[in-house]
Amino acid sequence: MITPMREWTANHFERADRFVVLQMEAITLIVMQAEVVALEPVLDVQVMNTQALPNYANASGFLPLTAGACPVYTLDENLNTLDQIPPTYRICAVMRNRPNDYALSCVAVHLLSRNEVSLHATPRSMLNARSPILQLLVHDGKLLLGTTAAALHAHLDARGNADVISFEQRIKRIKS
Amino acid sequence: MINAAEAWLVECGHARVFISALNMLHVIEDSTMRYRVPLTPAHCNSVLVWQQRVLPVVSIAELIHQPTRTPCKYVCVLGWQDIQAGTEYGVLAASAFPQRIMIHDSHSVTPAAELAEAWQPYALCFVEYNNKVVPIIDPARCFNASQFDRQSGIEAVGMIA
């Protein structure tokens, strides 16, 4: 039996007891609590060395954790990555995505329990199979964008590895 | 026989449509209840949190590929009956407060080919109002179309349960 990925993830949101709200300047993301490994201050973020970490070229910096360098991403309202962390961002949430843990810089982070949020499906006219936004949640009349560490990582990875070539070049590659 | 009915004229930039008075539930001034959702199609990229519901907000200007810079200060909450899903809700963004107008059968017109093509997926019929041809739209068609997926050819992601 085939179950849509979106439905499968929604069931996980339904069953989760606690959530972590990741407040950014223009948007607010929400993930299940089990998706967040640790919280680290933005002050600990070090400048990105793209030569040392070539796979994380779109990260704003990295956290030197005991397990190794952890890339830190900063997102704008369109979920595009920013080169620098804005001064209002104070905390980083380290996301569980073994073996590729990563961190998201945030203005603030706080916890919510299941009974403080209501779950809503993404309206059909807004569906985008490539979006990491898998569930819409409402808390105190405010919209929170539900995602998972894996879905967000896939989105960030797709952006970092995007192969921007011309249409002609692509045709040549296919033919060769 | 019904030969006249009330409708609301909704404007969004240069795009204007009529909505049956039966479908119009509420007009509210756009407020902090409206939230943008990233990576969604241009014609439907925000939602309205209204009475414990999350409703998609459609821009009719973007729907027919005539984007406008005119700010949409108002939102119109619409409701309609779906055979399978029951009562459905959606929101239209409007740049001016909608006008309630009586439409008669005699106002019905055949639109120019270009206009008919632009509105064909969403229009029930066309009427003439103030020397302009305006479609009467079916809200169900506006809110059920996942235009983004059709344009990009994206198919639903599935997994084995």
Side-chain angles (χ1 to χ4, degrees):
Chain A
M1 182 187 158
I2 303 290
T3 303
M5 176 75 90
R6 196 167 288 278
E7 203 175 294
W8 174 79
T9 312
N11 291 340
H12 277 241
F13 272 92
E14 196 74 58
R15 283 191 296 230
D17 288 330
R18 293 183 79 80
F19 298 95
V20 178
V21 177
L22 309 172
Q23 190 191 329
M24 292 157 195
E25 254 173 19
I27 56 167
T28 306
L29 299 178
I30 182 167
V31 295
M32 289 167 273
Q33 190 184 15
E35 304 259 20
V36 177
V37 182
L39 298 175
E40 301 285 344
V42 161
L43 290 171
D44 289 352
V45 176
Q46 297 187 6
V47 178
M48 199 69 204
N49 181 347
T50 49
Q51 286 179 332
L53 295 164
N55 293 336
Y56 305 123
N58 53 353
S60 315
F62 73 93
L63 283 166
L65 302 180
T66 48
C70 174
V72 178
Y73 296 99
T74 307
L75 303 175
D76 68 6
E77 71 272 22
N78 295 315
L79 299 182
N80 293 323
T81 51
L82 299 174
D83 292 340
Q84 291 188 330
I85 301 174
T88 50
Y89 284 49
R90 300 293 170 87
I91 197 158
C92 295
V94 181
M95 308 295 288
R96 186 191 301 275
N97 187 52
R98 302 275 156 78
N100 301 308
D101 286 357
Y102 62 96
L104 291 173
S105 62
C106 307
V107 172
V109 171
H110 63 268
L111 282 171
L112 282 180
S113 60
R114 174 67 186 86
N115 57 13
E116 290 177 283
V117 292
S118 57
L119 272 64
H120 304 266
T122 308
R124 194 151 32 134
S125 50
M126 305 180 94
L127 284 178
N128 172 5
R130 290 184 186 176
S131 172
I133 306 303
L134 305 167
Q135 181 82 48
L136 301 179
L137 296 91
V138 174
H139 165 66
D140 200 17
K142 295 191 178 86
L143 186 78
L144 310 170
L145 305 169
T147 186
T148 64
L152 207 50
H153 185 263
H155 168 74
L156 295 167
D157 199 38
R159 298 195 72 78
N161 296 324
D163 192 10
V164 183
I165 56 170
S166 70
F167 180 74
E168 289 75 18
Q169 276 181 307
R170 180 165 164 74
I171 296 295
K172 275 183 196 169
R173 277 193 196 177
I174 292 167
K175 284 180 178 173
S176 62
Chain B
M1 192 179 88
I2 297 171
N3 56 13
E6 280 186 316
W8 288 86
L9 179 67
V10 178
E11 291 181 275
C12 182
H14 293 298
R16 42 171 50 188
V17 295
F18 276 115
I19 295 283
S20 165
L22 298 171
N23 296 129
M24 183 72 91
L25 300 182
H26 215 62
V27 180
I28 46 182
E29 199 162 351
D30 206 358
S31 68
T32 51
M33 295 186 297
R34 190 173 166 183
Y35 296 90
R36 211 176 158 274
V37 180
L39 303 173
T40 46
H43 78 276
C44 187
N45 61 12
S46 62
V47 293
L48 184 79
V49 178
W50 182 74
Q51 295 189 356
Q52 285 89 47
R53 291 187 173 90
V54 173
L55 308 180
V57 180
V58 160
S59 158
I60 51 170
E62 292 282 356
L63 195 65
I64 57 162
H65 310 293
Q66 288 180 4
T68 177
R69 287 186 180 178
T70 313
C72 288
K73 295 178 189 169
Y74 302 93
V75 286
C76 312
V77 181
L78 311 181
W80 64 94
Q81 288 295 319
D82 182 272
I83 295 168
Q84 289 178 333
T87 308
E88 296 255 52
Y89 301 93
V91 179
L92 282 189
S95 49
F97 196 90
Q99 299 171 57
R100 194 167 180 149
I101 288 155
M102 187 67 82
I103 295 176
H104 296 265
D105 281 354
S106 58
H107 294 157
S108 177
V109 290
T110 304
E114 197 179 321
L115 193 69
E117 193 182 338
W119 287 107
Q120 182 266 326
Y122 321 107
L124 295 166
C125 63
F126 293 80
V127 292
E128 190 172 305
Y129 175 73
N130 277 356
N131 298 320
K132 286 192 174 164
V133 178
V134 181
I136 300 177
I137 59 166
D138 177 358
R141 294 188 206 169
C142 295
F143 290 93
N144 285 342
S146 179
Q147 209 174 55
F148 188 89
D149 284 357
R150 266 193 279 138
Q151 282 173 355
S152 58
I154 296 168
E155 289 179 9
V157 179
M159 66 170 293
I160 307 297

